[in-house]
Amino acid sequence: MGKGGDAVQAMKAEKITWSDVQQHRTPDDAWIVHQKKVYDVSNWHEHPGGGVIFTHAGDDMTDIFAAFHAAGSQNVMKKFYIGEVAVETLPKDQKQIAFEKGYRDLRSQLVVMGMFKSNKMFYLYKVVSNMMMWAAACAGVYYSDNTAVHMACALLIGLFFQQCGWLAHDFLHHQVFAKRKYGDWAGIFVGNLMQGYSVQWWKNKHNGHHAVPNLHNSTALSQDGDPDIDTMPLLAWSLKQAQSYRELNGGKDSAIVRFFIRNQAMFYFPILLLARLSWMNESFKMAFGLGAPSANAADEMKRKGLQYPMLERSAIILHYAWVFVVSTGYGTWGIGKSVAFFMLMTCSCGWFLAIVFGLGHNGMATYDADARPDFWKLQVTTTRNITGGHGFPQAFVDWFCGGLHFQVDHHLFPSLPRHNLRKTHALVESFCKEWGVKYHEADLVDGTMEVLHHLSHVSNDFVLEFVRDGPTM
């Protein structure tokens, strides 16, 4: 536990310079700042939210803390308090201070407007309509003898998995229920049982992503980078990412790495098709203690374990049971058709999911974790909203993307229910224009082209570097 837990609170608050705070960036030496107060949370793996706390080691967590926590949660931090930041050492001018006050005031305004209150009937409708998709697909497999109908049902289940992903996302961001355990339980039903993903795996990965979108780790030992862009050796979202991977592997790129990075724009869609298989594998291993996808997740599992071990494991086993029954045509199909059905629903789900959240961040700005901008600018400049266009009506985008077409707004206020994002969007857009912050939107087609162009640009930079420095690689 952090050394602040042993601090004598009665002592006069020590003044700590900002440069001193920045020296403590790893899980075993982690200082964080909240409202100008400094806390030593070194090795606090018992943090209720898991390892995400270390994403802001050596940095200011004031705004991401507000985004993730209920009122009063800061009281838990008192035992870690070690001093105050020396204000004169903060790298902020008066304009920046006014800007930060402005977006904190906007959050308070949204609270007063009731934007963080959920409509339970909306979520009941979403759960019921989703389950009707599942029931229709299962019925189609059972009652029809037509292979084309069966494959259409596989696609429908793939779409059902995708829509379950958005619902689990809302429940686990605690957008729906005031009591967080209810959100967790609903997440286990929709996520583990119906979709096949571990809630704890998702929380560790997704909360880390929210805290530090599109950030590269500041050092090899730090855990302040975005796990969602940790896609090497298959995809590099910046030349810096490719270079860092090279450094971790003896200073050389293998022929396989060079092949994938040179051709990553071509492989982007095939990789998306396989995404669900990777997520299922990571979820299963984490839920059953067989491994973890990151150092952060491994530390969390070693120190805390699963929050709901029996529920998570039982739900995942039941998921594979019902998937097996449906994928075999209730025991009537041969192995070839069963595998084809399973792969079609699995790969289509991966593509349906990944195309949406890939558009949310891929091809947008990336930063080094130790050179990140303030909370608002980080969330806005690394994120893309999705609009209707190129023949896709806005109503379709609203449904298909499950609220994540308002990705910028969601990242700024992750616990705000999706049905209130449109109203919030107008206020966010106005605030960004007032302060001159770039706010990007694109439709499904243009956004995808932006992602592919970005991948091609990184590939070109990678090839140029190889030509220039090839002998050392």
Side-chain angles (χ1 to χ4, degrees):
M1 180 182 287
K3 300 179 184 66
D6 301 322
V8 179
Q9 298 298 308
M11 293 178 63
K12 183 178 179 181
E14 177 185 354
K15 291 295 183 180
I16 301 172
T17 66
W18 182 247
S19 61
D20 283 342
V21 171
Q22 291 185 300
Q23 300 304 310
H24 304 269
R25 307 194 70 95
T26 61
D28 59 355
D29 182 20
W31 289 8
I32 54 178
V33 175
H34 181 261
Q35 299 286 12
K36 300 184 177 67
K37 296 182 185 295
V38 183
Y39 302 89
D40 183 349
V41 295
S42 302
N43 289 314
W44 189 30
H45 296 277
E46 297 77 20
H47 171 240
V52 66
I53 192 168
F54 300 121
T55 61
H56 277 66
D59 217 299
D60 191 327
M61 68 159 189
T62 301
D63 296 295
I64 196 64
F65 187 93
F68 275 111
H69 295 82
S73 299
Q74 63 269 24
N75 293 329
V76 178
M77 301 298 298
K78 290 179 180 179
K79 59 185 176 182
F80 302 108
Y81 174 78
I82 59 172
E84 305 276 335
V85 173
V87 178
E88 64 275 9
T89 68
L90 289 171
K92 298 179 182 179
D93 56 22
Q94 289 303 311
K95 182 178 180 181
Q96 179 64 26
I97 292 172
F99 175 65
E100 292 180 7
K101 181 180 183 303
Y103 63 68
R104 290 166 188 170
D105 287 346
L106 176 57
R107 180 181 181 83
S108 298
Q109 180 185 348
L110 291 171
V111 172
V112 172
M113 292 172 63
M115 290 294 101
F116 288 89
K117 295 180 179 179
S118 68
N119 182 334
K120 304 300 188 295
M121 294 306 297
F122 170 83
Y123 283 104
L124 177 61
Y125 158 73
K126 293 302 295 183
V127 171
V128 171
S129 61
N130 269 19
M131 294 308 297
M132 288 176 66
M133 290 173 58
W134 176 75
C138 292
V141 170
Y142 185 81
Y143 288 108
S144 176
D145 295 324
N146 189 304
T147 297
V149 171
H150 297 158
M151 294 304 124
C153 290
L155 286 172
L156 185 59
I157 293 179
L159 195 56
F160 163 75
F161 285 153
Q162 185 232 33
Q163 291 294 308
C164 281
W166 308 149
L167 263 179
H169 171 270
D170 292 359
F171 285 127
L172 297 173
H173 268 304
H174 306 295
Q175 296 176 8
V176 185
F177 300 109
K179 289 191 175 182
R180 296 197 166 200
K181 65 180 179 180
Y182 296 160
D184 290 341
W185 294 345
I188 289 172
F189 170 75
V190 178
N192 292 56
L193 176 60
M194 302 314 301
Q195 199 186 17
Y197 298 156
S198 161
V199 159
Q200 187 131 344
W201 163 80
W202 184 91
K203 281 186 176 183
N204 175 273
K205 189 173 187 290
H206 193 71
N207 288 346
H209 158 70
H210 259 269
V212 287
N214 282 16
L215 294 193
H216 301 304
N217 282 319
S218 55
T219 70
L221 297 178
S222 300
Q223 295 181 6
D224 49 7
D226 181 358
D228 276 9
I229 62 168
D230 184 15
T231 52
M232 287 292 292
L234 300 180
L235 298 171
W237 297 105
S238 70
L239 182 60
K240 169 68 180 292
Q241 185 179 17
Q243 292 169 336
S244 297
Y245 186 82
R246 179 189 307 147
E247 291 171 6
L248 292 173
N249 289 275
K252 293 184 178 181
D253 294 318
S254 68
I256 293 176
V257 169
R258 293 196 298 271
F259 174 76
F260 273 104
I261 302 307
R262 281 200 308 267
N263 300 284
Q264 60 182 4
M266 180 175 65
F267 285 118
Y268 179 65
F269 285 116
I271 288 171
L272 296 191
L273 289 171
L274 299 176
R276 175 169 161 80
L277 288 171
S278 173
W279 299 328
M280 290 165 66
N281 174 58
E282 291 181 355
S283 285
F284 190 89
K285 289 195 299 185
M286 192 158 172
F288 289 90
L290 303 176
S294 67
N296 186 290
D299 286 345
E300 183 176 307
M301 291 301 294
K302 180 180 178 181
R303 308 298 183 102
K304 289 182 61 179
L306 293 175
Q307 185 177 3
Y308 304 100
M310 291 303 296
L311 280 178
E312 283 230 44
R313 291 166 183 162
S314 299
I316 286 178
I317 289 172
L318 288 173
H319 168 80
Y320 282 106
W322 77 255
V323 164
F324 176 81
V325 170
V326 176
S327 296
T328 59
Y330 299 88
T332 64
W333 297 344
I335 188 170
K337 184 174 179 178
S338 297
V339 170
F341 184 95
F342 176 81
M343 291 303 294
L344 181 58
M345 72 177 183
T346 298
C347 293
S348 63
C349 167
W351 194 87
F352 291 148
L353 279 171
I355 195 66
V356 174
F357 57 66
L359 284 176
H361 299 282
N362 294 346
M364 298 298 290
T366 59
Y367 301 95
D368 292 335
D370 54 1
R372 73 187 79 177
D374 64 73
F375 170 78
W376 186 280
K377 291 173 186 169
L378 173 64
Q379 303 296 338
V380 172
T381 60
T382 59
T383 308
R384 178 194 291 107
N385 275 4
I386 309 171
T387 64
H390 276 91
F392 293 100
Q394 188 61 53
F396 170 79
V397 172
D398 291 353
W399 174 80
F400 183 75
C401 297
L404 295 187
H405 53 301
F406 289 123
Q407 186 75 275
V408 174
D409 317 270
H410 167 64
H411 259 256
L412 293 168
F413 310 106
S415 60
L416 193 145
R418 80 164 87 160
H419 53 76
N420 288 332
L421 284 171
R422 187 172 298 281
K423 295 178 182 177
T424 300
H425 171 72
L427 295 174
V428 169
E429 186 174 30
S430 176
F431 182 85
C432 286
K433 288 179 179 178
E434 177 186 352
W435 287 92
V437 179
K438 184 180 178 181
Y439 190 106
H440 185 55
E441 296 180 333
D443 64 35
L444 286 165
V445 176
D446 288 341
T448 299
M449 294 307 298
E450 289 174 8
V451 173
L452 295 176
H453 288 155
H454 177 81
L455 288 170
S456 295
H457 178 73
V458 174
S459 294
N460 291 338
D461 288 346
F462 181 82
V463 171
L464 287 173
E465 185 193 44
F466 176 75
V467 171
R468 184 178 64 245
D469 303 323
T472 65
M473 299 170 68

